[in-house]
């Protein structure tokens, strides 16, 4: 392994890793928003809204994320959606992970004991109050860990945006391979950086989970 | 308007799940301050009837009235929500499995609903919690979480939580049947205390001795019908219906 080469190029990889982190953070935020909206839709009292929620989930989970990105980035201009690669990446991946997060959040909410909502309603709380004060706080604790799994998948998924030439880690590795012909070193370095990002995120999730459980 | 009406009135209650008729035309009344026990075999519809009173399990047909107001009035969704929330504030309910809120302390369990619905101050809420918990002998555990309590203690907190809304009527669905035998008495004592304070109560129970000692009236249900009702002395000692006799015989044997 060419350690000297790694030492020479790693600052550029660190810069690319920052882009990967940015992508991950923005995608996670968008994903959580989509997840919350999707969950609200899936649990709505109106059948049509529930259907829309279900359609969103099955569309985005039923097709490859890469196709979704290509459709948005390359196909978008045809229907008047003009996005730069980075934005297309965030929006595409965010919508995608939002579908998975919808199912995670909904799963956590419906696994809160039915008797909890009933007890709250029996006291005279409205549907919204009972959800906000009783069901949601308990569901939150249940959803931290599985959302962590979603986020983990999503960080690795940012590698896909290299296919629409966003200069993140994977794309950077490929570019340096073009000039150095050392794929092992380049992918190894990129891999280490992904591992670092994911390990730190995992620790953060575990911390939040522990804290929620202690309360 | 001096027209008198029963305090609680159920008129021709019917409930079906698909083809299964769980309640078949049940009518009954409860006067203010009365304590009524509902007994009967498993699956006879006792819980369904009790949960129809606060519209937790809406009836397929029939009416429920409390103190001159119809509980299960048919209204457009929004108005109905507002109406039922107001009605439910007047009807306390105690569940077999307590259903305390595990993420809240005992104090918060008791004060949450009054704080949200009656807009009382934090200080008033604290006084209320102390009062209600003292009443059920749980003041010492005010800052515990439900997971730190025994079953009997949980149920006493659940009763305090319901009482904190100052209900006119209390519903109990087998409040002691999830408890270890040695914890039953402490909950029964709290219920007896409520009885002495003339709280109107409808109690679904499997405990015949308890029903006999605190209730003014016993209702025996079977297969979605009221088969027999009357004062405990009569229903327990001289049941007129064959089905009641069979149920009591089986139950008393089981208790021995
Ligand atoms: N959500 C439901 N869907 C279908 N059937 C139901 C539902 N809830 C209750 N039932 C049925 O209704 C009947 C009456 O149930 P209910 O819980 O009222 O009986 P119970 O008298 O309270 O019995 P137990 O003593 O076991 O608590 C049962 O046959 C039960 O299976
Ligand atoms: Mg029952």
């Amino acid at each position: 392994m060419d350690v000297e080469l790694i030492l020479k190029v790693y600052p550029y990889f660190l810069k690319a890793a920052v882009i990967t982190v940015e992508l991950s953070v923005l995608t996670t935020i968008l994903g959580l928003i989509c997840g919350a909206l999707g969950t609200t839709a899936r649990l709505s009292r109106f059948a049509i809204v529930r259907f829309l929620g279900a359609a969103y989930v099955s569309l985005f989970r039923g097709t490859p994320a890469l196709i979704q990105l290509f459709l948005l980035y390359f196909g978008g201009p045809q229907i008047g959606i003009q996005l730069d690669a980075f934005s297309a990446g965030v929006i595409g991946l965010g919508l995608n992970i939002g579908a998975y997060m919808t199912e995670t959040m909904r799963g956590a909410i419906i696994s809160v004991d039915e008797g909890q909502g009933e007890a709250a309603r029996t006291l005279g709380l409205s549907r919204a109050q009972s959800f906000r004060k009783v069901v949601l706080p308990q569901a939150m604790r249940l959803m931290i860990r599985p959302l962590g799994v979603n986020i983990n998948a999503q960080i690795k998924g940012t590698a896909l945006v290299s296919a629409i030439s966003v200069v993140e880690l994977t794309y950077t590795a490929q570019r340096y391979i073009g000039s150095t012909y050392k794929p092992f070193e380049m992918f190894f370095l990129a891999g280490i950086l992904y591992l670092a990002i994911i390990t730190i995120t995992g620790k953060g999730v575990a911390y939040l989970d522990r804290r929620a459980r202690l309360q | 308007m001096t027209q008198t009406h029963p305090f609680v009135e159920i008129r021709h209650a019917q409930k079906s799940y698909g083809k299964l008729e769980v309640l078949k035309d049940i009518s009954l009344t409860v006067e203010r301050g009365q304590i009524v026990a509902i007994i009967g075999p498993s699956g006879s519809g006792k819980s369904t009837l009790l949960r129809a009173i606060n519209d937790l399990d809406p009836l397929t047909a029939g009416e429920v009235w409390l103190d001159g107001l119809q509980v299960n009035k048919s209204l457009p969704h929004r108005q109905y929500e507002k109406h039922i929330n107001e009605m439910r504030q007047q009807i306390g309910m105690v569940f077999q499995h307590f259903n305390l809120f595990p993420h809240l302390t005992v104090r918060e369990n008791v004060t949450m609903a009054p704080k949200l619905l009656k807009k009382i101050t934090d200080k008033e809420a604290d006084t209320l919690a102390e009062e209600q918990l003292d009443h059920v002998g749980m003041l010492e555990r005010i800052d515990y979480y439900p997971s730190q309590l025994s079953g009997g203690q949980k149920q006493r907190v659940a009763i305090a939580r319901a009482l904190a809304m100052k209900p006119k009527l209390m519903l109990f669905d087998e409040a002691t049947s999830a408890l270890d035998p040695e914890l039953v008495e402490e909950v029964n004592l709290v219920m007896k205390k409520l009885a002495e304070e003339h709280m109107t109560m409808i109690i679904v129970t499997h405990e015949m001795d308890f029903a006999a000692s605190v209730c003014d009236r016993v209702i025996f249900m079977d297969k979605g019908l009221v088969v027999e009702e009357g004062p405990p002395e009569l229903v327990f000692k001289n049941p007129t219906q064959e089905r009641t006799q069979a149920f009591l015989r089986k139950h008393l044997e089981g208790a021995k």
Side-chain angles (χ1 to χ4, degrees):
Chain A
M1 193 156 65
D2 192 341
V3 177
E4 218 171 292
L5 177 65
I6 289 180
L7 290 176
K8 215 167 81 191
V9 299
Y10 90 90
Y12 303 102
F13 276 69
L14 279 183
K15 254 199 210 149
V18 172
I19 304 292
T20 292
V21 169
E22 280 173 17
L23 269 169
S24 301
V25 170
L26 292 174
T27 306
T28 300
I29 293 170
L30 182 60
L32 288 170
I33 294 170
C34 292
L37 290 174
T39 304
T40 312
R42 292 278 269 138
L43 299 174
S44 162
R45 107 190 130 75
F46 301 106
I48 176 77
V49 182
R50 284 200 300 275
F51 171 79
L52 290 175
Y56 163 61
V57 170
S58 44
L59 267 177
F60 279 86
R61 294 204 314 178
T63 53
L66 195 58
I67 295 287
Q68 293 161 22
L69 277 177
F70 283 170
L71 193 69
L72 183 62
Y73 185 62
F74 297 120
Q78 247 176 287
I79 53 164
I81 304 172
Q82 204 92 41
L83 291 168
D84 62 276
F86 185 86
S87 313
V90 169
I91 293 172
L93 293 178
L95 284 169
N96 179 269
I97 200 65
Y100 289 89
M101 287 178 165
T102 297
E103 288 309 89
T104 302
M105 293 179 182
R106 189 180 76 104
I109 288 167
I110 60 182
S111 66
V112 172
D113 177 18
E114 241 186 328
Q116 290 292 309
E118 277 181 2
R121 298 304 311 276
T122 298
L123 290 163
L125 268 66
S126 68
R127 275 163 64 103
Q129 286 170 326
S130 127
F131 182 74
R132 212 157 13 89
K133 296 285 181 180
V134 174
V135 178
L136 191 59
Q138 295 182 56
M140 289 285 217
R141 293 177 185 192
L142 298 175
M143 68 175 77
I144 293 174
R145 232 192 281 213
L147 280 177
V149 174
N150 291 148
I151 291 170
N152 175 303
Q154 185 260 120
I155 293 171
K156 290 179 284 193
T158 58
L160 288 176
V161 300
S162 62
I164 56 171
S165 24
V166 177
V167 189
E168 42 66 77
L169 259 179
T170 304
Y171 187 85
T172 302
Q174 283 168 339
R175 212 163 60 173
Y176 276 87
I177 291 162
S179 54
T180 62
Y181 304 102
K182 293 273 169 96
F184 185 84
E185 282 80 356
M186 298 304 113
F187 283 136
F188 182 82
L189 184 50
I192 292 286
L193 290 170
Y194 276 117
L195 185 63
I197 296 169
I198 283 183
T199 306
I200 293 167
T201 312
K203 292 249 184 278
V205 170
Y207 169 76
L208 288 177
D209 185 58
R210 229 177 311 118
R211 222 184 53 169
R213 247 155 246 284
L214 279 182
Q215 276 170 8
Chain B
M1 291 264 288
T2 52
Q3 193 189 358
T4 59
H5 47 68
F7 188 59
V8 180
E9 184 171 19
I10 296 169
R11 292 186 194 153
H12 304 293
Q14 278 173 277
K15 171 84 181 177
S16 311
Y17 288 108
K19 276 193 167 169
L20 180 72
E21 276 191 286
V22 179
L23 300 178
K24 305 166 188 161
D25 194 23
I26 292 196
S27 294
L28 62 93
T29 60
V30 178
E31 294 308 327
R32 196 187 290 271
Q34 251 188 356
I35 297 153
V36 174
I38 302 179
I39 61 170
S42 182
S44 55
K46 306 180 296 293
S47 298
T48 309
L49 179 64
L50 200 71
R51 292 160 58 90
I53 295 174
N54 59 7
D55 212 38
L56 216 48
D57 282 343
L59 291 173
T60 315
E63 296 178 359
V64 178
W65 291 74
L66 171 66
D67 204 10
L69 292 174
Q70 189 180 349
V71 178
N72 61 344
K73 207 153 52 168
S74 97
L75 288 168
H77 182 80
R78 267 163 192 271
Q79 277 163 272
Y80 170 75
E81 276 290 305
K82 193 168 173 293
H83 163 77
I84 197 67
N85 293 338
E86 277 162 17
M87 294 305 300
R88 284 179 180 152
Q89 293 183 36
Q90 305 170 39
I91 308 173
M93 187 165 209
V94 175
F95 302 87
Q96 184 176 357
H97 296 288
F98 330 124
N99 301 3
L100 287 179
F101 306 131
H103 60 299
L104 301 179
T105 63
V106 164
R107 180 199 304 272
E108 292 163 340
N109 265 276
V110 175
T111 57
M112 184 186 70
K115 269 176 147 174
L116 279 173
L117 302 169
K118 299 194 167 165
K119 314 282 174 225
I120 57 176
T121 64
D122 286 357
K123 197 155 167 279
E124 286 166 332
D126 278 337
T127 314
L128 178 68
E130 282 156 22
E131 239 169 57
Q132 295 302 332
L133 289 166
D134 191 31
H135 197 211
V136 299
M138 286 298 297
L139 188 52
E140 272 119 79
R141 301 288 152 99
I142 190 164
D143 289 315
Y144 282 51
Y145 280 92
S147 61
Q148 299 168 303
L149 305 178
S150 74
Q153 294 174 328
K154 282 183 194 166
Q155 196 59 297
R156 287 189 279 149
V157 172
I159 294 172
R161 176 178 70 178
L163 291 175
M165 288 303 291
K166 312 274 155 118
K168 292 176 173 171
L169 168 68
M170 284 287 287
L171 309 174
F172 293 84
D173 193 357
E174 300 194 26
T176 55
S177 39
L179 299 177
D180 293 337
E182 71 272 19
L183 302 178
V184 168
E185 196 49 30
E186 64 187 62
V187 174
N188 281 346
L189 282 175
V190 169
M191 290 169 70
K192 278 186 185 152
K193 197 161 155 190
L194 288 180
E196 282 155 21
E197 293 160 8
H198 306 292
M199 172 62 82
T200 313
M201 300 198 265
I202 303 178
I203 302 171
V204 171
T205 183
H206 282 298
E207 281 186 82
M208 303 306 146
D209 290 339
F210 178 72
S213 67
V214 299
C215 296
D216 304 305
R217 191 147 54 99
V218 176
I219 292 174
F220 172 68
M221 274 180 73
D222 191 20
K223 302 200 173 78
L225 285 168
V226 172
V227 174
E228 182 155 1
E229 66 170 297
E233 309 84 76
L234 284 182
V235 175
F236 288 130
K237 300 247 165 64
N238 292 307
T240 59
Q241 301 295 312
E242 216 284 311
R243 276 195 275 175
T244 321
Q245 292 162 4
F247 172 77
L248 288 173
R249 214 178 305 127
K250 224 170 111 191
H251 221 86
L252 296 178
E253 270 168 29
K256 267 172 201 162

